[in-house]
Amino acid sequence: MSDLPKAGTVLCKLSDLDATGAKGLHLGDKGIFVVRSDQGVFGYVNSCPHVGVPLDMEPDEFISEFGGEIICSTHGARFRIEDGECVSGPCMGDVLEPVAVKVQDEMVVLA
């Protein structure tokens, strides 16, 4: 994703992920989201690999209530948070496009 802003660009506060575990953002014309799990914070392009629709139906709602997975609100596909791989649904085996992020001084920034 070479058209993203430069590394170190602040995306959100780490605490912004507390309510839903995820936050959708727009960087230029790209929709992305960051998601938090026990393994860390991860970033992905907000696009289902099945048909390219945004994953969230409601703002910042990316995580399933049942298994701590990212879910596509359109098709119900489920993706592992840690690597974006689809583990259930019409795009099984496909992966979400990653966006490199890291936590720095309690902020989520582009890596």
Side-chain angles (χ1 to χ4, degrees), residues 62-71 78-81 87:
F62 293 90
I63 307 298
S64 75
E65 296 177 13
F66 304 109
E69 297 166 317
I70 299 164
I71 188 166
R78 295 177 185 272
F79 303 86
R80 284 193 300 247
I81 292 173
V87 295

Side-chain angles (χ1 to χ4, degrees), residues 13-90:
K13 296 177 185 176
L14 186 60
S15 62
D16 290 343
L17 305 178
D18 290 347
T20 64
K23 182 159 185 66
L25 305 154
H26 288 280
L27 296 177
D29 62 351
K30 295 285 184 191
I32 71 164
F33 67 100
V34 291
V35 59
R36 185 180 195 174
S37 76
D38 292 340
Q39 288 76 34
V41 175
F42 305 88
Y44 297 101
V45 173
N46 186 6
S47 179
C48 181
H50 181 220
V51 291
V53 296
L55 296 165
D56 56 330
M57 187 175 291
E58 297 290 328
D60 303 333
E61 296 289 335
F62 293 90
I63 307 298
S64 75
E65 296 177 13
F66 304 109
E69 297 166 317
I70 299 164
I71 188 166
C72 175
S73 64
T74 302
H75 302 103
R78 295 177 185 272
F79 303 86
R80 284 193 300 247
I81 292 173
E82 295 76 24
D83 61 10
E85 182 176 344
C86 182
V87 295
S88 175

Side-chain angles (χ1 to χ4, degrees), residues 1-7 27 29-30 45 97-100 110:
M1 297 211 55
S2 59
D3 55 344
L4 288 179
K6 66 180 180 153
L27 296 177
D29 62 351
K30 295 285 184 191
V45 173
E97 183 178 345
V99 174
L110 287 174

